[in-house]
Amino acid sequence: MKKPLTIPDELQPRNITRADLVITEGFGLEVDGRMKTVFPTLEAAQKRARDLKAKFPMLQIRVYDAAEKKLLELSPTE
């Protein structure tokens, strides 16, 4: 016999990064004009951007600095 489904009293919070929200801290990874991921440091964001660019060279990838509110282009040598 199956046990009845129980619903917890409190739902667990989910850590979801939404693309339609503007980031206020850290560094965001913008792929083809859409914000995808947020990183705590510039180095981590740039490393991921270089890895993605090496794997998918046709993508336009930029790093967004939330503190200065600027988009940083990936240089061709990176």
Side-chain angles (χ1 to χ4, degrees):
M1 183 172 196
K2 291 185 179 179
K3 292 183 180 180
L5 179 65
T6 58
I7 299 174
D9 294 335
E10 290 185 29
L11 295 176
Q12 295 293 326
R14 298 187 319 177
N15 188 7
I16 297 176
T17 304
R18 291 182 40 182
D20 61 343
L21 297 178
V22 177
I23 62 171
T24 57
E25 59 185 31
F27 298 88
L29 192 64
E30 183 186 271
V31 179
D32 286 342
R34 297 186 185 267
M35 197 62 62
K36 295 295 183 180
T37 311
V38 179
F39 294 91
T41 64
L42 177 61
E43 292 79 22
Q46 286 179 332
K47 181 182 182 316
R48 182 66 180 141
R50 283 192 301 270
D51 293 346
L52 277 175
K53 192 67 172 176
K55 191 171 183 178
F56 304 102
M58 73 294 272
L59 293 179
Q60 179 186 6
I61 301 174
R62 299 187 291 184
V63 176
Y64 176 72
D65 184 355
E68 295 186 21
K69 297 181 181 171
K70 289 184 179 179
L71 280 170
L72 308 170
E73 295 287 337
L74 221 63
S75 65
T77 59
E78 291 185 318

